[in-house]
Amino acid sequence: MQTFMKHALGMAVLGTLAGALAPAALASSHREAPFVTQMPKVDGADFYMFRSYETGRAGFVTLIADYVPLQDAYGGPNYFAMDPNALYEIHIDNNGDAKEDLTFQFRFTNTNKDTKLTIGGKSVSIPLVVNGGAIAGANAPGANVRETYSINVVRGDRRTGTKAAVTNTAGATSFDKPLDNIGNKSIPDYAAYAAAHVYSVNIPGCATPARVFVGQRKDPFVVNLGETFDLVNIKAPAVEFAANAERAAKDDLAQKNVTSIEMEVASSCLTAANSTDPVIGGWTTASVRQARVLNPTPNSGTPSKEGGAWTQVSRLGAPLVNEVVIGLKDKDTFNASKPSGDGQFADYVTNPTLPALIEILYGSAGAKAPTNFPRNDLVAAFLTGVKGLNQPATVTASEMLRLNTSTPAVAMGAQNRLGVIGGDNAGFPNGRRPGDDVVDIALRVVMGKLCTINLGCPPADAPAGALRFTDGAYIDDSFFNASFPYLKTPIAGSPQSAATTTAARSAP
């Protein structure tokens, strides 16, 4: 009975608990810092790194960096092209020194084909990204714009290291990005159209070909945003319905899309050469030029002139760090920083404020903050990796997503959405899969879940460590596909019927 009451109490608190978080807290990294809200095209939304669980791909690691969050499917006429003046990067540290050893750089080019119609004897440019014909393949005649990208791999420092071009099997260095999912009339079979943009590529220095996809996807994150931010306008579930708390809330991203940069790379290409350490660290960044001069007489090709050194404005490794760990005054600083400089943020991890905020709001219901300082359990989760799980042989404390590439992948359908704390060592924080419920995991970890297993602190230091904190928005591996690029087909801008939106989660 006592165990049941503790469980019920924890569940009854859960539905309202998310209100303790700051306004962007539960959106992984959607608009998480003041400055990046001004530049949505370079706003990193989510970062995933996991052993590929597609059948026959056991020797590969999948990297996914999502950008341009909160896309409305109907957002025409220009939709959501990437920024051609930005540099998008995925970094890998494979020796534990908090510095990138391998960087994949993505640059985009947008071409206006300037399709014209003859109107009253005059040739006039059309206003749309499609010109009247249905689109089925890459760079289709019916597309009025073409978005392409190139990939470079840099070994060593991202700016001074050795750079080489990634090519397709024919040696080409340019790849087509599909148009966003405008609607069923413009692109009748979007799933097949997007699949035509999955490329087999050769990475210089890697013996095994990789796969790449860049394009719009259904936003993979789930969270109850609106109710949470309206002064916790969420009704706590009654005790008798407590078992449904983890599925009780609305997913406010259910009708949103995102742009994904995805790579599937052989594990042997990511780990350090001549090393037996299987642990890698990863994070994604976006950078823009230091200076921008607006063109007072702009056209489609030259609205501005960019110059100066690359300046990092977005950074994302482990989810929710800049949202619920870093203080408001330092959020922009974190986005501009490198893992090697993370000592400046140490107090936010060793002496976190989020558990104290939760106790202030819900302490009377049993949500007591952990009492161990410094929070060595959080240092392991956020800064070093967990010893015996995903801590590298040599480690420099720094924030990034860490993955033990020797941990076998778990097949779709057998994954536990709570990852390691749910008994599934192939999940978060040992990397991150799309179906890992990182909001629930993070809430439980900051409130002392690791103390209950004597990791960094004893159970007595975490009075609420066993409570099942949740934001109420449910996710597991069934929300995704079983093969690369894993994330679902984006929601179509048209038709927006009730049947279409209801079926969004079950689309291929």
Side-chain angles (χ1 to χ4, degrees):
M1 176 63 75
Q2 184 180 11
T3 301
F4 170 77
M5 289 305 293
K6 284 179 64 178
H7 169 75
L9 172 62
M11 294 299 289
V13 174
L14 306 182
T16 56
L17 183 58
L21 310 182
L26 293 179
S28 193
S29 196
H30 300 54
R31 298 172 55 86
E32 85 291 350
F35 186 54
V36 81
T37 63
Q38 303 175 39
M39 298 176 286
K41 287 181 179 288
V42 290
D43 183 2
D46 281 291
F47 180 63
Y48 302 88
M49 182 170 67
F50 56 95
R51 285 283 302 271
S52 297
Y53 52 87
E54 177 181 347
T55 301
R57 305 295 288 185
F60 291 82
V61 170
T62 296
L63 308 166
I64 302 176
D66 288 342
Y67 281 88
V68 200
L70 304 175
Q71 297 179 16
D72 289 317
Y74 50 81
N78 293 297
Y79 297 94
F80 303 98
M82 301 292 269
D83 187 349
N85 294 308
L87 177 64
Y88 301 86
E89 297 176 294
I90 296 174
H91 311 280
I92 300 295
D93 170 21
N94 57 27
N95 60 11
D97 65 355
K99 298 177 182 178
E100 65 272 9
D101 299 294
L102 198 67
T103 296
F104 298 102
Q105 297 180 333
F106 290 75
R107 294 293 309 275
F108 292 84
T109 300
N110 301 329
T111 303
N112 179 1
K113 296 181 180 180
D114 195 22
T115 302
K116 294 181 172 65
L117 296 178
T118 301
I119 308 297
K122 293 186 176 182
S123 182
V124 182
S125 299
I126 71 169
L128 305 176
V129 300
V130 292
N131 62 24
I135 295 168
N139 191 29
N144 192 29
V145 297
R146 184 183 188 186
E147 189 173 6
T148 60
Y149 61 94
S150 62
I151 312 169
N152 284 320
V153 59
V154 182
R155 298 185 184 276
D157 182 271
R158 66 181 80 173
R159 299 293 173 260
T160 61
T162 303
K163 181 186 294 187
V166 174
T167 63
N168 68 13
T169 52
T173 59
S174 181
F175 307 90
D176 275 279
K177 172 181 172 290
L179 295 177
D180 293 341
N181 197 357
I182 298 167
N184 299 339
K185 187 174 182 180
S186 296
I187 310 174
D189 187 348
Y190 195 88
Y193 168 67
H197 294 80
V198 175
Y199 297 99
S200 177
V201 299
N202 297 315
I203 300 172
C206 297
T208 306
R211 289 193 291 187
V212 173
F213 171 81
V214 178
Q216 190 180 54
R217 297 281 88 188
K218 167 70 188 71
D219 193 320
F221 203 65
V222 300
V223 65
N224 180 14
L225 286 173
E227 303 274 358
T228 298
F229 304 152
D230 184 22
L231 293 177
V232 202
N233 189 20
I234 304 172
K235 185 177 180 180
V239 171
E240 59 266 33
F241 298 115
N244 296 322
E246 292 172 346
R247 300 173 181 263
K250 173 187 176 184
D251 171 21
D252 284 327
L253 302 182
Q255 299 303 314
K256 301 294 184 180
N257 293 327
V258 73
T259 299
S260 297
I261 298 172
E262 304 199 29
M263 300 188 75
E264 187 188 51
V265 184
S267 300
S268 59
C269 181
L270 299 176
T271 54
N274 303 317
S275 172
T276 59
D277 189 354
V279 177
I280 60 174
W283 69 101
T284 182
T285 63
S287 301
V288 295
R289 296 295 188 182
Q290 281 184 326
R292 171 175 292 177
V293 179
L294 300 182
N295 186 347
T297 56
N299 58 45
S300 63
T302 58
S304 65
K305 181 68 175 179
E306 320 288 325
W310 288 115
T311 303
Q312 183 180 304
V313 294
S314 180
R315 169 188 171 188
L316 179 60
L320 302 170
V321 171
N322 206 7
E323 294 70 29
V324 302
V325 178
I326 305 300
L328 182 60
K329 74 180 183 67
D330 284 328
K331 290 184 181 296
D332 290 329
T333 303
F334 180 85
N335 266 354
S337 66
K338 296 182 178 181
S340 57
D342 281 348
Q344 64 186 308
F345 307 117
D347 287 349
Y348 290 125
V349 178
T350 59
N351 299 72
T353 58
L354 176 61
L357 292 172
I358 292 174
E359 180 172 335
I360 290 170
L361 290 172
Y362 303 107
S364 61
K368 301 293 185 181
T371 57
N372 56 305
F373 299 104
R375 288 289 301 275
N376 292 324
D377 55 327
L378 298 188
V379 170
F382 290 119
L383 300 182
T384 66
V386 178
K387 190 172 183 179
L389 175 73
N390 65 339
Q391 186 178 104
T394 301
V395 62
T396 301
S398 52
E399 193 287 305
M400 62 181 71
L401 196 60
R402 289 179 172 86
L403 172 68
N404 188 332
T405 62
S406 68
T407 303
V410 174
M412 181 176 172
Q415 297 174 15
N416 189 302
R417 71 183 188 89
L418 297 177
V420 173
I421 67 170
D424 181 355
N425 283 348
F428 182 75
N430 186 17
R432 179 189 177 190
R433 303 167 301 198
D436 292 336
D437 194 338
V438 296
V439 173
D440 285 8
I441 297 169
L443 284 171
R444 297 178 197 193
V445 168
V446 299
M447 291 303 289
K449 176 64 178 179
L450 298 183
C451 298
T452 67
I453 55 174
N454 288 291
L455 202 161
C457 46
D461 286 344
L467 298 186
R468 296 171 59 182
F469 295 100
T470 184
D471 72 321
Y474 188 85
I475 190 172
D476 64 17
D477 60 356
S478 69
F479 285 46
F480 304 96
N481 294 328
S483 59
F484 185 85
Y486 293 101
L487 306 189
K488 290 281 192 178
T489 296
I491 295 168
S494 167
Q496 286 293 305
S497 67
T500 299
T501 55
T502 300
R505 281 295 186 192
S506 59

